[in-house]
Structures are given as structure tokens and as C-alpha cells.
């Protein structure tokens, strides 16, 4: 059972916790196993025969059991730092004859529980890190165990009051590199480390220094590199003075490097004569005073130090705030004859309301050492500068390859810089380039990296008259960083150049919503970073462009990417192209407003695509159904009221033709509507009534040629006092008859002439056979029946014509009476 559990545990480690990498070095495969920060409480059984490097840093291990590493005898590096180790069992490192690096830093080890000869057998161990443990309970025993590892070249250990370095360490004849961590309250002095004089220590690092005495380094005649890290919380107020006093021991010595870091802000100082007086007597190659709260740099002592015969090749004063200094020290650089690297932060002007002066726009020049390769004037705080880039000339800058002027807020960028034609790296972040020259970079033909963050290039680049000139002479560019420039769009032609290498373009933290216009040539762009812009997706044109360019990677995290059916093509492209490299970091907005990791969403993209197609068909079907229903309803309404519509449109049409209806008189007494098959009978009727003085309208004789018949019918109805319908079987079968009845009904209703209709019934037509429109107004209709039985009383043709004449004369007499009364 235990064996099964152990197998499962090993499998979990290998699958879930273990990170293995294979690196080829000198034709050999180096197998690295990384189990760091996995909260392990026991040693994992994950080693294999080829393992050379094991990282167990930052776990919860308490014990290193015996034979813990027996499966890999070729281990070269073991990192057990930042655990909770209290015990290392005897034989824990047994058999590791090739182990060269062992890191036991920041554990709970004590001398009491440290086994004798614990490091025995580590015959190849060259670096031992054992700082920040609890060996002060028996410091002598602790040092004696270390002294047995005679192969040591590099040692990192603690030194606690009142202990000192023991003579037993003289056995470490190969020791060259020593780092000592002073525990709280420790004061380094010559007597505490005097026993190291027997060793040829070349590199010494003192950590947590609070103060030094003048003879601290008297025991290190072979020292080449010295690093001093000041304890920020406990440092004495004169710690810098004490350190420089202790450096006097190196007078007339050749030193590779002196590094002093960590001086607290409360001990801020101005670097001046007392410090340079010490340094100028040492042949020092590298001076690093990083993060030491240097408030200023005295020009004359600095200039005198440069003119003195010195060996200085690298000067690093970075991470300081030179509040109380002018930038005159720049003009002292030329005094140094061997300087290759200069890192000095530009002055920080306290009041950013600087006044403009005509003198600030004058071209100027300054000198640098001929050997200078890197000039770093950047500051972590913006230093407002009155000057603008106005044809600056750097004398002796022919070897300068790196120029970092980040946060040196030069006012305008409408000039250029001469004298540094071999420049490969330029950082001008923080410049105010609202005014920008097309030839700003024209004198840097070897430029490889350009960083211009927060430089107002969103305004400057779009103000260029010919943007294609900006990078025209920088064809060696490989990295362009335009982050945080408030760019809404980039001008066309900016990147349309045949760059000699693939370029990476960083456009993070801008306001872009569409892909800039890149040159449509494959394999010209290595990387495009568009993080934290305003992309909801990439348009079809942008996708087509990227498919042509084929960049190795595109980054889109931090954008409001939309995961919806509307962006489905973009999502499918992301899933299949593999160009978007940060899909695990992109959060996309779903249709319900929630957020999802894009990589998780893409796992179910096929299902989502089907749902989108279903929604599309549902939407399409709904639209078609709605349209069909509306069409049917409209058709029904139109069919039901088709004659009303017809009459309405005809009236409009006639009105557009400027037709004016008669106001008081009619052209005809009656318009007779009949079937053309009854023309002979109607002709007789017409003759009879005309002989009685009636004016009748017949379509056979009165309709105008060339006019639509529907218009003729409406005009005839409108111009006649009465409308007579001759209802026969043939009339009922005629579509025009029904049409004329409907038009008459509409006209009668509109004009208030409901009594204008006269119906003549023939062929024994019954009322129920009449058209519906006629039956609806039957109560207003005057109906006269043609006599079908000649023998019936009061049913003769004479009586018929008499009745018809009376009916036709009814409106006529009334009109005459009205006209007479008016007279």
C-alpha cells in the first residue's frame, strides 16, 4: 500500500508540480528539475539519473533525510534555500562527488543539530551559501565544519557579535570570493576578520553594514572587488564617511570594482572633495554608488578627479536623486580618458514651471570620453528641462552605442543630434515631442532599439508632413517601443520601410482601436504588442493584413475584447492562427456582460459557433415569419379595402393633375354603368331619356381615349348628379361593374351624396344576388325594376320611364329651386 501511495505521489509531482527543462551545454544535456514554491513538506522522490540541477527553494521542508539524492549521483547544483530546515541527517549528501553549488540560505539550522562531517564527500563543492541561519550557538564548530570543504572557491556566511572569523578557515586555500552577512548590531572591524589575511580573497561583499572602522580591510592585501551593502534601518548617520575612510587602505592599489549601495535617505549627501580625494588615489576600474541618496555632484572635484591619472572605466551613480545639482557635470565627462560606461541620473528640477528663454533654443555641444560606449542619464522622476533638441553635437561620441535619457523632459524634438552615428540604443521616454522633426533620427543609421514611452508622440507623429521620412534611415531597427503615447492612430507610411531584421513594435497603453498600417510583406515583423488599448476585436481587414505579415506573436491582453457572435470570425482566427500569444491573460466580455478568460472560452468555440448559427437561423426565421405575417395582414387589409385604396390613390393622382371638381353644377344628369353585353338595351334607354331632356354619360361615347379607365370612371361619377346601375346577369359577372359600384360608394360617402345611386333591376335579379357593396347602401338606393310581366298592373315600360324620369329629375329640380331662391 505504501509503495502504491509513493508511486501516486511521484506521479502527481511529475505531472502537476514538476517543471523540467533540458538545456544543451557543451554538447551535454543538462536536466533541470524545478520544484520551487510548491509547499512541499517532505523531500520529493523525483530525481532521475540524468538530473544535474535541483531547485527546492521556498518550500516547507524540515529535514533532509540520509541518501535523499541517491538516484542522481551527477547532481551539480542543489537549492534548499528559504525552507524550514532544522536537521540535515548524516549522509544526506552522500555520493554527490560532482556537486559544485549548495544553497542552504534562510533556514532554521543550528550548530547543535549540525552533524559532524556533514559536508564530507563533497569534494567538488565550489560554492556554499549558508547565510541567515542560527549557527551563533556554537560559531566555532560551524566554521570548523566549513573548513573541511577545501575545494570551496566562493562562501556566503553570517558573522555575529561577539564572534570573529576563525583561523580554521585558512584551510580553504582556494577561497577567493567571500560574502559576509552581518547580523543586527554587528560592527565590522579589523580584528573580527583579521584571520582572513592568510587567504587570497579577491572578492569581498559585506552585507548589512551600519558603520566601518578605518582598518576594516587591512587583512585583504589581494582584494580586487569590494561590495558594501548598507543596513538601511540601522545605518549610522556618518556611515558614508566611515566607508570612505576605510577605503584609504587601498591607496596606490589596483582595484577592479568598489560598490556601495543602500545609504538611507536620512543620510543624503553631496558627492564632493572628501570622497573624490580618496578615490583619485586608487586605480579603480568600476565605481558603483547605486541608491545611496546622493543629492548632488560637485563639479570642480569631479572635474579634477577626471583630469587625475585614473583607471576608471565605469561610473554608476544610478537610482539617486540629484535635487541640488545643476547638470554642469555633463561637461566634465570629457576629462576622463578611459570611461566606457557612465550612469548618472539627470538633475531633478524641483519646480516644473520652468520659464522659456531664447538661450534655451540655441544649438550647443558637449564632450564625452572617446572611449565612451554607454551614457545613461535617466531618472526615475521626471526632470523638467528648458532645453529642446535643437541640433546638439556630442564631441568624441563616435564609439557611443547606448544613450538613455528617459525622463529628461526635453521640451521639443524638432532638431537632431550629431556625432553619435554608431548609436544602437536610444531611450527618450518622457520627452515632450509634441513638436517633432521628420529628421530627428536621421543621424542614427545603426539604431537597433528605440524606446519612446510617454513622449506625446500621439501628437508629434501625426503632425509630420511626411511620416515615411521618420524611420527612413534607421533600417537596422529591431525594437520600437511607443508605449503610453496617447496614440489614437498612426500615420500611413510610418513603418513602410525594408528593415533588415524582423522588428518588434510595442504599442501598449494607447488608444488604438484598429491595427496600424504595416508594410504588407511576410516575415518582416517579429512581435506586435497592443496591450491595454481599446480593441474589441480585430477587423477583417486587420486579420487579412496579419495573415500576410505573419508576425511571430501579437499581444492583446488588457483590451475590452468582445466574445460574441458578432466577433465570431475574429475568435475563430485567434483559435486557429496561433498568432495571439497571450490568450491565457486576455479577458473577454461575454454577451451577458460577464468576463471570461479567452483561452477557456476558445475551448468551447465549436459549440458556441453552433449556437451562433442557431441564433442566426432563429433571427432569420423570425424576420421572415414577421415579414410574412405583416404581408398577409397587409394583403388582407388591402383586399378588404382595395377599392378604398384605389379611390384614394386615384383622387391623389387626379389632384396632382390639377383636377378641380364641379362645385354646384354637373356635366351630366347621370352616369350609366352597364355591361357591354347589354349595350343594345342601354342604347334604347339612352335614347328615351335623352328625348326627355336628360344628359347621360356612357363610357362607350364619353370616356376619353388615352386615359386610364379607372380615372375615367371616377371622373364620370364625380361629374354626374346620379349614377344608374343597370343590373343584369351579365353585369354581375363583370368585374368592372363591381368596381364602379365600389367607386360610387366611396365617392357618395366622401361627398355626402348617399342618395345619388339608382339601380335598375333586370332579369329577375333577387336582392341576395346583388354585390355586397350595393347591399351595404341599399337603404339609400332608389331601385326601379324593369317590367318583366307586361300584363301586370302598373308594370309597363311607360311606368318604368316615368319613375326613372322622376328620380333623375329629383336632384335637378332641387338644384334649380336653390338657384332660383338665390336670385
Amino acid at each position: 500500500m505504501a509503495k502504491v501511495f509513493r508511486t501516486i505521489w511521484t506521479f502527481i509531482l511529475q505531472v502537476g508540480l514538476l517543471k523540467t527543462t533540458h538545456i544543451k551545454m557543451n554538447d551535454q544535456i543538462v536536466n533541470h528539475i524545478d520544484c520551487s514554491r510548491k509547499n512541499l513538506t517532505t523531500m520529493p522522490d523525483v530525481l532521475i539519473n540524468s538530473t544535474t540541477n535541483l531547485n527546492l527553494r521556498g518550500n516547507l521542508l524540515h529535514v533532509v533525510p540520509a541518501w535523499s539524492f541517491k538516484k542522481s549521483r551527477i547532481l551539480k547544483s542543489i537549492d534548499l534555500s528559504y525552507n524550514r530546515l532544522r536537521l540535515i541527517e548524516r549522509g544526506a549528501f552522500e555520493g554527490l562527488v560532482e556537486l559544485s553549488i549548495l544553497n542552504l540560505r534562510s533556514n532554521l539550522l543550528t550548530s547543535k543539530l549540525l552533524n559532524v562531517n556533514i559536508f564530507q564527500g563533497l569534494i567538488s563543492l565550489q560554492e556554499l551559501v549558508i547565510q541567515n541561519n542560527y549557527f551563533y550557538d556554537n560559531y566555532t564548530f560551524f566554521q570548523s565544519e566549513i573548513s573541511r570543504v577545501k575545494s570551496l572557491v566562493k562562501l556566503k556566511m553570517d558573522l555575529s557579535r561577539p564572534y570573529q572569523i576563525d583561523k580554521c578557515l585558512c584551510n580553504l586555500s582556494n577561497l577567493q570570493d567571500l560574502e559576509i552577512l552581518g547580523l543586527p548590531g554587528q560592527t565590522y572591524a579589523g580584528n573580527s576578520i583579521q584571520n582572513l589575511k592568510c587567504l587570497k580573497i579577491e572578492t569581498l561583499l559585506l552585507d548589512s553594514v551600519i558603520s566601518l572602522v578605518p582598518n576594516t580591510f587591512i587583512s585583504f592585501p589581494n582584494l580586487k572587488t569590494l561590495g558594501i551593502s548598507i543596513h538601511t534601518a540601522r545605518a549610522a548617520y556618518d556611515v558614508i564617511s566611515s566607508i570612505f575612510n576605510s577605503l584609504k587602505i587601498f591607496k596606490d592599489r589596483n582595484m577592479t570594482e568598489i560598490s556601495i549601495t543602500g545609504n538611507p535617505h536620512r543620510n543624503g549627501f553631496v558627492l564632493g572633495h572628501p570622497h573624490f580625494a580618496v578615490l583619485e588615489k586608487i586605480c579603480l576600474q568600476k565605481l558603483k554608488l547605486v541608491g545611496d541618496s546622493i543629492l548632488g555632484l560637485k563639479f570642480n572635484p569631479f572635474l579634477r578627479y577626471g583630469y587625475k591619472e585614473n583607471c576608471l572605466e565605469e561610473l554608476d551613480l544610478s537610482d539617486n536623486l540629484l535635487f541640488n545639482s545643476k547638470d554642469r557635470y555633463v561637461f566634465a565627462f570629457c576629462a576622463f580618458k578611459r570611461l566606457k560606461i557612465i550612469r548618472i541620473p539627470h538633475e531633478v528640477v524641483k519646480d516644473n514651471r520652468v520659464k522659456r528663454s531664447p538661450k534655451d533654443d540655441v544649438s550647443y555641444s558637449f564632450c564625452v570620453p572617446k572611449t565612451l560606449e554607454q551614457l545613461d542619464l535617466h531618472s526615475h522622476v521626471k526632470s523638467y528641462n528648458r532645453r529642446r533638441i535643437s541640433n546638439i553635437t556630442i564631441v568624441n561620441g563616435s564609439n557611443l552605442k547606448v544613450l538613455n535619457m528617459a525622463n529628461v523632459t526635453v521640451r521639443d524634438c524638432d532638431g537632431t543630434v550629431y556625432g553619435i552615428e554608431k548609436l544602437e540604443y536610444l531611450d527618450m521616454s518622457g520627452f515632450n515631442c509634441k513638436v517633432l522633426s521628420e529628421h530627428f533620427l536621421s543621424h542614427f543609421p545603426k539604431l537597433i532599439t528605440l524606446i519612446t514611452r510617454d513622449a506625446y508622440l500621439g501628437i508629434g507623429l501625426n503632425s509630420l508632413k511626411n511620416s515615411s521620412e521618420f524611420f527612413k534611415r534607421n533600417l537596422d531597427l529591431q525594437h520600437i517601443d511607443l508605449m503610453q503615447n496617447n496614440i489614437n492612430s498612426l500615420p500611413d507610411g510610418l513603418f513602410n520601410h525594408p528593415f533588415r531584421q524582423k522588428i518588434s513594435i510595442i504599442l501598449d497603453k494607447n488608444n488604438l482601436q484598429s491595427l496600424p498600417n504595416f508594410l504588407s510583406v511576410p516575415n518582416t515583423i517579429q512581435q506586435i504588442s497592443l496591450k491595454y488599448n481599446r480593441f474589441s476585436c480585430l477587423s477583417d481587414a486587420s486579420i487579412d493584413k496579419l495573415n500576410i505579415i505573419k508576425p511571430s506573436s501579437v499581444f492583446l491582453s488588457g483590451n475590452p475584447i468582445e466574445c460574441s457572435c458578432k466577433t465570431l470570425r475574429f475568435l475563430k482566427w485567434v483559435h486557429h492562427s496561433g498568432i495571439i500569444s497571450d490568450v491565457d491573460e486576455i479577458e473577454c466580455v461575454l454577451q451577458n456582460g460577464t468576463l471570461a478568460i479567452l483561452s477557456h472560452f476558445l475551448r468551447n468555440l465549436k459549440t458556441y459557433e453552433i449556437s451562433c448559427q442557431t441564433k442566426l437561423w432563429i433571427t432569420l426565421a423570425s424576420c421572415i415569419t414577421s415579414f410574412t405575417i405583416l404581408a398577409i395582414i397587409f394583403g388582407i387589409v388591402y383586399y378588404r379595402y382595395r377599392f378604398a385604396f384605389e379611390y384614394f390613390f386615384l383622387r391623389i393622382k387626379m389632384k396632382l393633375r390639377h383636377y378641380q371638381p364641379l362645385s354646384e353644377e354637373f356635366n351630366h344628369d347621370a352616369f350609366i354603368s352597364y355591361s357591354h353585353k347589354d349595350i343594345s338595351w342601354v342604347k334604347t334607354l339612352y335614347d328615351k331619356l335623352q328625348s326627355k331632356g336628360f344628359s347621360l354619360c356612357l363610357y362607350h361615347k364619353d370616356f376619353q381615349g388615352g386615359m386610364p379607365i379607372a380615372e375615367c370612371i371616377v371622373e364620370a361619377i364625380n361629374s354626374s348628379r346620379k349614377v344608374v346601375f343597370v343590373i343584369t346577369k351579365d353585369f354581375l359577372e363583370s368585374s368592372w361593374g363591381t368596381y364602379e359600384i365600389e367607386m360610387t360608394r366611396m365617392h357618395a360617402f366622401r361627398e355626402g351624396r348617399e342618395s345619388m345611386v339608382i339601380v335598375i333591376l333586370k332579369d329577375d335579379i333577387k336582392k341576395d344576388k346583388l354585390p355586397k357593396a350595393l347591399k351595404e347602401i341599399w337603404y339609400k338606393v332608389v331601385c326601379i325594376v324593369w317590367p318583366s310581366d307586361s300584363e301586370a298592373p302598373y308594370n309597363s315600360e311607360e311606368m318604368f320611364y316615368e319613375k326613372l324620369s322622376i328620380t333623375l329629375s329629383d336632384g335637378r329640380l332641387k338644384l334649380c329651386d336653390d338657384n332660383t331662391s338665390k336670385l
Side-chain angles (χ1 to χ4, degrees), residues 47-62:
L47 294 180
I48 55 178
N49 291 333
S50 61
T51 304
T52 57
N53 293 63
L54 176 62
N55 187 357
L56 294 170
R57 179 188 179 94
N59 285 291
L60 305 175
L61 302 176
H62 292 268

Side-chain angles (χ1 to χ4, degrees), residues 416-423 439-446 473-474:
T416 188
V417 181
Y418 299 94
I420 48 175
E421 289 77 12
K422 294 183 180 179
L423 192 70
H439 305 291
F440 182 77
L441 303 175
S442 60
H443 294 281
F444 311 140
K446 301 294 183 180
R473 300 187 181 181
N474 309 114

Side-chain angles (χ1 to χ4, degrees), residues 308-477:
K308 287 280 186 179
E309 185 66 29
N310 62 67
C311 309
L312 197 63
E313 296 180 2
E314 179 176 346
L315 176 62
D316 190 349
L317 302 181
S318 55
D319 291 339
N320 289 287
L321 297 176
L322 304 185
F323 282 107
N324 299 321
S325 175
K326 296 183 178 179
D327 58 1
R328 290 176 58 202
Y329 57 77
V330 174
F331 299 97
F333 291 159
C334 200
F336 294 85
K337 304 303 180 184
R338 300 179 181 177
L339 265 180
K340 295 180 179 179
I341 299 173
I342 299 176
R343 296 189 182 97
I344 300 181
H346 192 268
E347 64 166 332
V348 177
V349 180
K350 295 181 179 179
D351 188 355
N352 61 3
R353 295 171 295 181
V354 292
K355 297 180 180 179
R356 296 183 61 175
S357 170
K359 295 186 296 183
D360 299 327
D361 296 338
V362 177
S363 301
Y364 62 96
S365 62
F366 65 91
C367 179
V368 297
K370 293 182 179 180
T371 54
L372 192 65
E373 298 177 359
Q374 298 182 28
L375 177 58
D376 187 346
L377 300 176
H378 91 279
S379 173
H380 294 297
V381 180
K382 282 191 175 183
S383 55
Y384 294 87
N385 197 319
R386 290 190 294 267
R387 291 194 179 97
R388 63 188 180 94
I389 299 296
S390 177
N391 300 326
I392 298 175
T393 301
I394 299 179
V395 181
N396 295 333
S398 58
N399 290 315
L400 189 64
K401 296 181 179 180
V402 176
L403 177 59
N404 188 346
M405 298 181 67
N407 287 330
V408 180
T409 52
V410 176
R411 181 163 51 83
D412 290 334
C413 305
D414 58 344
T416 188
V417 181
Y418 299 94
I420 48 175
E421 289 77 12
K422 294 183 180 179
L423 192 70
E424 297 179 356
Y425 178 100
L426 174 62
D427 189 342
M428 45 183 277
S429 300
F431 278 33
N432 189 341
C433 289
K434 293 180 181 178
V435 179
L436 182 64
S437 169
E438 296 171 354
H439 305 291
F440 182 77
L441 303 175
S442 60
H443 294 281
F444 311 140
K446 301 294 183 180
L447 193 64
I448 295 175
T449 300
L450 174 65
I451 301 176
T452 56
R453 300 181 179 182
D454 191 21
Y456 297 96
L457 287 179
I459 299 174
L461 288 174
N462 285 289
S463 66
L464 297 176
K465 293 181 180 179
N466 188 358
S467 60
S468 63
E469 293 288 327
F470 193 67
F471 291 126
K472 185 177 181 180
R473 300 187 181 181
N474 309 114
L475 301 183
D476 286 331
L477 271 172

Side-chain angles (χ1 to χ4, degrees), residues 205-219:
L205 303 179
L206 300 182
D207 199 355
S208 299
V209 172
I210 59 176
S211 182
L212 293 180
V213 297
N215 66 343
T216 301
F217 305 111
I218 197 171
S219 300

Side-chain angles (χ1 to χ4, degrees), residues 597-612:
I597 301 299
L598 183 58
S599 60
H600 298 169
F601 180 84
L602 295 177
R603 294 173 188 171
N604 302 313
L605 184 60
K606 192 64 178 179
T607 304
Y608 188 76
E609 182 181 0
I610 294 173
S611 69
C612 285

